[in-house]
Amino acid sequence: MAPCWRGAFEVIALGGTLDPECEHLHLSISDKQGLMRGGHVLPGCRVRTTLELVVGELEAYRFGRAPCPQSGYEELLITPQNLVRITMSVSKLSSYNLAFMVICIAINMVAGQAASMLKLPIFLDSIGTVLCAILAGPWMAVATGLLTNLLWGLLTGPIATAFAPVAMMIGLSAGLLARAGWFNNLPKVVVSSVVITLALTLVAIPIRSYLFGGATGSGADFVVAYLHAMGSDLQESVAVTVLGTNLLDKLLTVLIAWGLVRRLPQRTLRHFPQMAAVR
């Protein structure tokens, strides 16, 4: 355990780096007898009267952290800003993110297949997409939704492929909501599920109406046919059906993904610098 010194000390030197992820500061202090001590600045260090501190910003460089294979720790990484701009799109597609995307696609397919086998009135086939939206950002989530439906299309038929834009909209809307802070607490998460449902409905209506005439072979076809027979036009019947079948599903989907993120260990979350704030 590191020693803890109490009393009044004079700050002789303070230096280090500040980056978006953390800080790494070294402090040198002296007591009344002139005895010098030094070490890392940790939470709990308090200023007794005043502290003259100068912080310099190097706009031409970006400070971050990266795992070091030799030390085993996340060490300082200084990158020129122009190189950051060039490699930003590549960094988002790192091997870790790609592996995580594969896991999210598997979650989508396993949960969706389980819901189908159990004859549940919900889909649960976008949990991985929302999870990816929170941790990796909207564009990774868009790719996750797209690839999930393309794989479903190869396994089950062209209907899933046709609804790929819907899965992409789920990822995009969830990612943008997460970035805007709408996964900070439970009430916001509930509202986010409604917004995601409304967004996907706008995309699903023309696909279901014009490509499939309102019938896709699912249990919801009965609702569409019933509403249409009662006098509602096809688009209105499809809209009501999509909203009704997705409200509960997306609420459960978002709650499950949110709960999973909150329980992930900190060492895992460090691999996702694009992660949205979650409480």
Side-chain angles (χ1 to χ4, degrees), residues 101-176:
M101 183 190 296
V102 173
I103 294 174
C104 290
I105 293 172
I107 292 174
N108 284 343
M109 301 189 72
V110 170
Q113 185 64 27
S116 176
M117 292 177 62
L118 295 174
K119 306 297 182 182
L120 298 178
I122 51 179
F123 309 110
L124 299 180
D125 57 356
S126 54
I127 295 175
T129 301
V130 177
L131 186 64
C132 187
I134 299 173
L135 291 176
W139 302 117
M140 290 289 290
V142 168
T144 299
L146 171 63
L147 292 175
T148 297
N149 275 54
L150 291 179
L151 287 174
W152 273 122
L154 292 174
L155 296 174
T156 63
I159 294 179
T161 303
F163 280 90
V166 177
M168 296 168 67
M169 176 56 72
I170 294 172
L172 178 62
S173 56
L176 294 177

Side-chain angles (χ1 to χ4, degrees), residues 52-139:
E52 296 178 358
L53 182 65
V54 177
V55 178
E57 182 180 2
L58 301 178
E59 297 182 353
Y61 297 92
R62 177 172 179 173
F63 292 79
R65 298 279 159 180
C68 176
Q70 294 181 343
S71 67
Y73 296 100
E74 291 191 347
E75 305 290 358
L76 178 65
L77 178 65
I78 303 176
T79 310
Q81 282 287 11
N82 56 352
L83 182 60
V84 170
R85 296 189 186 98
I86 294 174
T87 60
M88 186 169 292
S89 59
V90 177
S91 66
K92 291 180 181 178
L93 291 176
S94 65
S95 58
Y96 196 93
N97 280 343
L98 290 175
F100 178 65
M101 183 190 296
V102 173
I103 294 174
C104 290
I105 293 172
I107 292 174
N108 284 343
M109 301 189 72
V110 170
Q113 185 64 27
S116 176
M117 292 177 62
L118 295 174
K119 306 297 182 182
L120 298 178
I122 51 179
F123 309 110
L124 299 180
D125 57 356
S126 54
I127 295 175
T129 301
V130 177
L131 186 64
C132 187
I134 299 173
L135 291 176
W139 302 117

